[in-house]
């Protein structure tokens, strides 16, 4: 499955960061909320994501809700993957960027498959 990863769509001086993963038939919008200053060691406190069609129509989860809040062990895994995407090594191409991106996308895709009925 082909995908395009769009990272760090952010308003100036905002504690909210948006990421988007575009797939062939749908997209995943990810919202990260941080505590503290974004200029000095921000702390990730909450991650939400929604699935939309390419026409921006929200897709409902199996339980009828629209968005998912990442919690518990999944939150810790997400934090680690997010840190790798924001690392010095990733930004300066000192590690294989494709592997880091694939790990991130596969993790999000596993959450999408577990919570949404995609047809």
């Amino acid at each position: 499955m082909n995908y395009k990863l769009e990272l760090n769509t952010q308003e100036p001086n905002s504690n909210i960061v948006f990421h988007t993963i575009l797939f062939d038939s749908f997209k995943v919008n990810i919202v990260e909320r941080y505590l503290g200053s974004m200029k000095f060691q921000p702390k990730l406190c909450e991650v939400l994501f929604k699935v939309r069609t390419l026409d921006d129509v929200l897709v409902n989860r199996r339980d009828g809700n629209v968005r998912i809040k990442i919690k518990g062990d999944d939150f810790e895994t997400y934090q680690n993957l997010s840190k790798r995407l924001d690392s010095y090594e990733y930004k300066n191409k000192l590690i294989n960027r494709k592997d880091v991106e694939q790990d991130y996308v596969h993790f999000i895709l596993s959450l999408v498959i577990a919570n949404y009925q995609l047809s």
Side-chain angles (χ1 to χ4, degrees), residues 29 37 60 81 86 107:
N29 299 119
S37 171
N60 288 338
L81 292 169
D86 199 34
F107 174 73

Side-chain angles (χ1 to χ4, degrees), residues 47-102:
V47 180
L48 304 168
F49 72 91
K50 304 175 197 178
V51 175
R52 296 176 185 262
T53 65
L54 296 178
D55 303 338
D56 282 336
V57 176
L58 288 170
V59 176
N60 288 338
R61 288 180 10 191
R62 290 181 179 153
D63 63 4
N65 293 323
V66 175
R67 65 183 179 167
I68 293 181
K69 182 176 181 178
I70 300 176
K71 304 177 195 173
D73 291 339
D74 289 337
F75 183 75
E76 290 177 27
T77 303
Y78 183 87
Q79 264 187 316
N80 293 332
L81 292 169
S82 183
K83 283 179 187 175
R84 288 178 60 199
L85 283 173
D86 199 34
S87 70
Y88 174 84
E89 292 84 5
Y90 177 83
K91 290 178 181 174
N92 292 297
K93 299 181 182 179
L94 299 174
I95 57 176
N96 188 344
R97 296 178 80 164
K98 191 74 170 168
D99 289 344
V100 174
E101 290 176 3
Q102 279 184 347

Side-chain angles (χ1 to χ4, degrees), residues 8-67:
N8 293 334
T9 309
Q10 182 181 10
E11 298 287 326
N13 300 320
S14 174
N15 288 353
I16 299 175
V17 178
F18 300 97
H19 303 301
T20 303
I21 305 172
L22 294 165
F23 292 98
D24 294 334
S25 58
F26 64 94
K27 62 183 173 180
V28 180
N29 299 119
I30 303 163
V31 180
E32 297 178 351
R33 290 194 177 122
Y34 288 88
L35 293 175
S37 171
M38 292 301 285
K39 295 177 184 173
F40 182 73
Q41 296 180 348
K43 180 174 174 16
L44 184 62
C45 67
E46 184 177 43
V47 180
L48 304 168
F49 72 91
K50 304 175 197 178
V51 175
R52 296 176 185 262
T53 65
L54 296 178
D55 303 338
D56 282 336
V57 176
L58 288 170
V59 176
N60 288 338
R61 288 180 10 191
R62 290 181 179 153
D63 63 4
N65 293 323
V66 175
R67 65 183 179 167

